[in-house]
Amino acid sequence: MLRGHSIIDHPSDLGIEARGESLPEAFEEAAMGLMALIVDPVSVGTTESRDLTVTGDDIGQLLVRWLSEVLFLYDGSHFVPKAFKIYELTQHIVRANILGEPYLEGYHNTRIDVKAVTYHQLSVTETARGTIVRVFLDI
């Protein structure tokens, strides 16, 4: 399965469908899709690094919490994530290193404001060919 992500139109929200050969790749692609909705990735550098650990009761909750923490880095910490490397992912924990840079108004080309990651139509599908995750965002 080719790694990548696409945007899903929904009447009141936007969704992300992310694909990868593995679950970690699909999670990384989902985070890249989220950030590509928020800010033009071409305008973002990778001058700083952040480590992130997220826990959850199951893989679906873990996906929502993972993306919510990525969103918080942007909204709450004014850090613009660009590159994601998950080095541990189980049914209950994700550990990752995130590259990006501090947000600079007028420098970063912002797109839309994402309010939250939702559980609406959340899905994680693992097959022999790879993994597809789908999540919708409140905008």
Side-chain angles (χ1 to χ4, degrees), residues 16-27:
I16 300 168
E17 181 177 278
R19 303 165 302 283
E21 290 185 14
S22 64
L23 189 58
E25 280 189 5
F27 269 51

Side-chain angles (χ1 to χ4, degrees), residues 15-41:
I16 300 168
E17 181 177 278
R19 303 165 302 283
E21 290 185 14
S22 64
L23 189 58
E25 280 189 5
F27 269 51
E28 290 168 359
E29 283 295 330
M32 286 189 280
L34 170 65
M35 289 312 303
L37 283 170
I38 295 170
V39 64
D40 181 358

Side-chain angles (χ1 to χ4, degrees), residues 8-20:
I8 305 165
D9 285 325
H10 189 273
S12 60
D13 302 317
L14 284 177
I16 300 168
E17 181 177 278
R19 303 165 302 283

Side-chain angles (χ1 to χ4, degrees), residues 2-134:
L2 288 176
R3 182 178 178 149
H5 60 269
S6 55
I7 305 306
I8 305 165
D9 285 325
H10 189 273
S12 60
D13 302 317
L14 284 177
I16 300 168
E17 181 177 278
R19 303 165 302 283
E21 290 185 14
S22 64
L23 189 58
E25 280 189 5
F27 269 51
E28 290 168 359
E29 283 295 330
M32 286 189 280
L34 170 65
M35 289 312 303
L37 283 170
I38 295 170
V39 64
D40 181 358
V42 174
S43 70
V44 183
T46 55
T47 60
E48 293 186 17
S49 172
R50 301 282 192 278
D51 288 318
L52 187 62
T53 300
V54 180
T55 60
D57 293 335
D58 58 43
I59 205 68
Q61 185 183 61
L62 195 58
L63 176 60
V64 170
R65 286 184 174 179
W66 157 248
L67 294 175
S68 295
E69 286 297 318
V70 169
L71 181 59
F72 179 77
L73 281 175
Y74 176 76
D75 279 339
S77 297
H78 307 291
F79 178 78
V80 187
K82 179 175 183 168
F84 305 86
K85 180 60 183 160
I86 293 176
Y87 54 88
E88 181 182 356
L89 178 57
T90 69
Q91 293 293 312
H92 301 288
I93 194 166
V94 59
R95 295 181 198 278
N97 182 261
I98 300 170
L99 297 175
E101 65 186 1
Y103 175 76
L104 293 170
E105 190 170 342
Y107 177 77
H108 293 105
N109 299 323
T110 57
R111 293 178 169 167
I112 65 168
D113 184 31
V114 174
K115 295 176 188 171
V117 181
T118 74
Y119 287 90
H120 177 68
Q121 296 183 0
L122 175 70
S123 68
V124 177
T125 306
E126 294 183 80
T127 70
R129 293 183 51 230
T131 303
I132 299 172
V133 300
R134 183 178 272 200

